[in-house]
Amino acid sequence: MYSGLLCVPPMVHVIREEFGMTNAQVGLLMSLPLAALAVAAIPAGTLADRIGIKKATVIGAAMVSAGGFLRGAASDYVLLYLSTGLFGLGFTLIFPNLPKIVHAWFGREKAGVATGIYTTGIALGGTIPYVITLPFILPITQSSQGVFYVWSAPAAVAFVLCWIVLDEPKRAEAQTTPQRGDMPLKVLKDRNLWLASLLMFANCLHFYLWVSWAPSLMVLKGATPEVASAIASMRGWFGMLGMFLMPLYSYRIGLRKPFLWGSGLLLGCAALWAIVMPLAWGWVLMSAVGFVISGSFAMKLALPSELSRGGAIGSASGMILSIGYLGGLIAPWLAGYLFDLSNSLNLPLMGLFVIGLAWGFIGTLLPETGGRASPPAPIK
């Protein structure tokens, strides 16, 4: 999923030239899959609760594969948007299922560590396009459409594997039968899930602004597009470490909250520093941003399992992702729009500083879900 999604940022200058698009329009291209996730994550999570993990995941993988392939056939930006929308709908069917799969296979106690492991795969899929798209794939394909064809292949392989290998976990089967009809409404009334959703909103806003525009930021500071993509890829490499190590250390000490609110403050300061730092420090900046933002993201993906009560993990996950990914919807387009207006990314970076402060405050309001806390009581 993420290799198809994040092959766009390294090619911003190529897509603009081939399709005659502005920065804001390219930002919208990045936002479309996240828009689908924001709009449809709650019903997708509820659907997964009802029909089971395997059916929802296989359908989603088929849509991601088809949408990724059709992007390569797009002859104008309207068709490019439509095929990207199909890709996004498939993305939406898969993503809310991931916390449910973790809970079914590993239980609440190990959900954070298991989430850190599978999100390492997410980080790898989102990092490799920065490293190989411009120096290797684009010279062979000679167009962004050819690059889209290449990056549709992993999704096709994932579809086949889901169809053949994936089994419905026994614990998930028990959860998908039968569920109270008012469970989604109960989820929407849960204060803690709203706080978790706001944290995910801030995390996604930071994450998708960095992944969309970090290469352009480095170009503004004097890097070539190839070097800029290499610098931006440090976010992914160190993000893989953060996705594994931050949840692991959190579980060892039995605390979540310091990692959740501390990440926001650190990322806010990093955004402010990015405005004035020289290019040579870009490697350090992107490494630090990647470790913190991806580690905190992995911990937030475990929150539906840790906070939801009863059997509504899919619905809780859908709520957190739906609200959270509004940040991913807004950030790439708005940053591109401000980039077009000012020929600078300073305004978006100042916005990240403010959001980071708000993130830190919200993190202090969330209850502790670590080993030192009592498990949530079931809904009566």
Side-chain angles (χ1 to χ4, degrees):
M1 295 189 301
Y2 273 82
S3 59
L5 179 66
L6 297 183
C7 67
V8 173
M11 298 195 297
V12 167
H13 61 294
V14 178
I15 294 172
R16 287 188 60 189
E17 180 179 348
E18 290 182 353
F19 289 92
M21 300 169 73
T22 65
N23 286 313
Q25 289 172 325
V26 177
L28 181 60
L29 184 66
M30 275 292 301
S31 296
L32 277 175
L34 310 176
L37 187 59
V39 171
I42 291 178
T46 303
L47 178 66
D49 286 336
R50 294 183 181 278
I51 70 172
I53 292 172
K54 179 170 183 176
K55 289 181 181 178
T57 303
V58 168
I59 293 171
M63 295 173 71
V64 167
S65 178
F69 184 82
L70 290 173
R71 287 196 299 178
S75 57
D76 56 55
Y77 68 84
V78 175
L79 294 176
L80 186 59
Y81 283 155
L82 290 174
S83 55
T84 300
L86 177 62
F87 176 96
L89 288 174
F91 190 96
T92 301
L93 274 175
I94 295 172
F95 213 66
N97 278 322
L98 299 181
K100 186 176 176 69
I101 291 172
V102 166
H103 179 80
W105 284 345
F106 299 98
R108 180 179 182 271
E109 296 77 13
K110 299 180 180 179
V113 175
T115 300
I117 293 172
Y118 84 71
T119 50
T120 300
I122 291 177
L124 183 63
T127 301
I128 292 177
Y130 287 88
V131 179
I132 69 175
T133 296
L134 289 184
F136 300 109
I137 299 178
L138 186 62
I140 295 173
T141 63
Q142 296 295 310
S143 70
S144 60
Q145 290 99 322
V147 172
F148 288 135
Y149 279 131
V150 170
W151 286 118
S152 70
V157 173
F159 165 67
V160 173
L161 290 176
C162 287
W163 181 269
I164 297 174
V165 177
L166 186 64
D167 292 323
E168 192 75 31
K170 293 182 179 180
R171 193 180 305 180
E173 291 171 356
Q175 290 174 354
T176 56
T177 64
Q179 192 183 111
R180 286 172 50 177
D182 64 343
M183 189 63 74
L185 183 60
K186 293 284 187 181
V187 167
L188 290 173
K189 293 181 178 179
D190 192 314
R191 171 183 176 272
N192 293 332
L193 290 178
W194 278 101
L195 291 174
S197 298
L198 291 175
L199 286 180
M200 183 64 84
F201 174 87
N203 204 129
C204 288
L205 198 151
H206 271 259
F207 181 84
Y208 283 101
L209 195 149
W210 281 114
V211 300
S212 300
W213 296 108
S216 297
L217 175 65
M218 300 307 160
V219 169
L220 288 174
K221 291 182 178 292
T224 65
E226 292 78 11
V227 172
S229 292
I231 295 173
S233 74
M234 300 303 293
R235 174 207 53 79
W237 299 122
F238 279 82
M240 284 185 278
L241 290 176
M243 281 181 162
F244 181 74
L245 293 178
M246 192 179 292
L248 179 63
Y249 188 66
S250 168
Y251 271 75
R252 283 187 175 179
I253 67 174
L255 293 172
R256 307 283 185 275
K257 287 183 65 173
F259 296 91
L260 294 175
W261 62 258
S263 296
L265 298 181
L266 289 173
L267 289 168
C269 293
L272 206 59
W273 181 45
I275 296 175
V276 298
M277 70 158 200
L279 175 63
W281 282 95
W283 302 92
V284 176
L285 172 73
M286 296 312 301
S287 300
V289 166
F291 186 92
V292 175
I293 202 169
S294 297
S296 63
F297 179 70
M299 295 183 66
K300 292 181 183 71
L301 286 178
L303 287 177
S305 175
E306 295 177 342
L307 291 174
S308 63
R309 296 173 287 180
I313 295 174
S315 298
S317 176
M319 173 183 170
I320 290 175
L321 293 175
S322 182
I323 296 171
Y325 270 78
L326 287 173
L329 164 62
I330 294 169
W333 171 81
L334 182 58
Y337 177 74
L338 294 174
F339 192 5
D340 285 329
L341 289 180
S342 63
N343 290 320
S344 167
L345 288 167
N346 289 349
L347 286 176
L349 290 170
M350 286 188 283
L352 288 187
F353 171 69
V354 175
I355 294 295
L357 297 181
W359 173 347
F361 173 72
I362 295 169
T364 64
L365 303 178
L366 200 68
E368 179 59 65
T369 59
R372 301 182 188 180
S374 301
I379 295 177
K380 297 181 179 180

